[in-house]
Amino acid sequence: MTKTELLYTGKAKTMYATDDPDVLWVEYMDQATALNGKKKVQIPGKGALNRQISSLLFEELNANGFATHYLKTLDDTTMLVKKCAMIPLEAVVRNFASGSFERKFHAAHLQPLVPAVHEFYYKSDALDDPFINDEQIVALGYADKATLVAIHAMSDAVNGYLKARFAQIGIDLVDFKLEFGRLADGTLVLADELSPDNFRLVDEVSGRSLDKDVFRKDQGPLQPVYQTVLDRLKGAQHV
Ligand code: ADP
Ligand code: TMP
């Protein structure tokens, strides 16, 4: 498999076409961004860590019957995925109040949210990824109702798996963002990335953040924090 044309340079990954029209070549970059790209730095090793954490979690989800885009890992920073027509939504799931939810409702930090809160954001850098509700999504043609129902069910199932997986290694899964796409045959799959760039993770004992909040809030170096997440996941492989 070889990469051919550069398709897209994002904030965290670079996407290339390959000699197989159904397969994309994904390179994880060392770049970290916050505030929709307004804060941007290079963090050596971040790309490799996010690729490793993503590969590990996608492999587990595939093995547990979840439909994902993940195919295989090529090297430290590169994986192959099934090419999708992406649904332009960020599907956020929250188990505890934090981030924008905490700010919006003045909720107590890490207040448990039962049932888990599902939110959609419209993926648009120009519009700063605004919140969007189900009717707005359908009316604007970004997805139909059946797709939203399927995304809700898949997000819940992924939440169940990941919550238990992180609890096993002493970490609370506070919230996370997923992206979904459709394969050429129409199958809905979990796509993009599964890493601490898109999860909020809190150590159950120390209460420390183990995710990109460390960068967002200038709490110190990010690389050792992501390394801790990877080491713990590897130390307690799924049985
Ligand atoms: P952003 O676009 O937010 O800056 P990235 O740097 O992570 O994010 O770029 C990766 C891009 O690739 C995102 O736009 C994402 O929606 C898209 N993508 C992820 N997985 C796939 C896939 N399997 N097929 C096509 N596009 C994908
Ligand atoms: P929020 O509290 O800022 O709305 O974020 C909720 C979750 O979604 C958190 O785990 C971070 C993740 N997220 C992304 O992955 N990308 C984004 O663009 C945003 C805004 C949040």
Side-chain angles (χ1 to χ4, degrees), residues 1 20 24 30 67 72 75 115 151 164 192 209 216 226:
M1 183 77 54
D20 182 332
L24 295 184
D30 283 343
K72 65 187 271 198
D75 64 34
I151 288 177
D192 203 45
S209 285
R216 293 187 188 99
Y226 282 27

Side-chain angles (χ1 to χ4, degrees), residues 4-158:
T4 54
E5 169 199 2
L6 170 67
L7 295 178
Y8 178 73
T9 303
K11 295 187 287 293
K13 301 189 288 299
T14 312
M15 317 293 284
Y16 296 88
T18 66
D19 39 13
D20 182 332
D22 294 326
V23 175
L24 295 184
W25 175 292
V26 185
E27 290 182 1
Y28 283 66
M29 299 187 281
D30 283 343
Q31 182 165 279
T33 65
L35 307 170
N36 195 19
K38 291 187 259 306
K39 175 175 173 182
K40 191 192 289 189
V41 298
Q42 297 299 314
I43 300 180
K46 173 177 169 286
L49 284 164
N50 278 350
R51 200 284 305 154
Q52 290 176 86
I53 294 167
S54 278
S55 291
L56 185 151
L57 292 175
F58 273 123
E59 278 164 19
E60 291 187 9
L61 289 176
N62 281 350
N64 282 276
F66 290 85
T68 87
H69 73 157
Y70 177 81
L71 286 169
K72 65 187 271 198
T73 290
L74 287 188
D75 64 34
D76 242 23
T77 52
T78 311
M79 64 168 64
L80 295 180
V81 302
K82 297 176 190 170
K83 182 180 178 174
C84 294
M86 294 301 289
I87 296 163
L89 299 172
E90 302 198 332
V92 168
V93 181
R94 303 179 189 273
N95 295 310
F96 299 93
S98 190
S100 67
F101 185 96
E102 180 183 340
R103 285 194 296 278
K104 197 186 287 180
F105 299 110
H106 290 186
H109 184 55
L110 300 185
Q111 169 187 334
L113 301 173
V114 182
V117 171
H118 292 239
E119 295 168 359
F120 285 117
Y121 293 85
Y122 173 49
K123 241 183 106 71
S124 163
D125 283 340
L127 299 178
D128 255 346
D129 296 348
F131 176 88
I132 187 166
N133 75 16
D134 288 28
E135 285 78 11
Q136 290 168 332
I137 292 168
V138 174
L140 290 169
Y142 298 143
D144 61 22
K145 189 70 201 159
T147 301
L148 297 183
V149 169
I151 288 177
H152 194 286
M154 277 174 79
S155 301
D156 251 346
V158 170

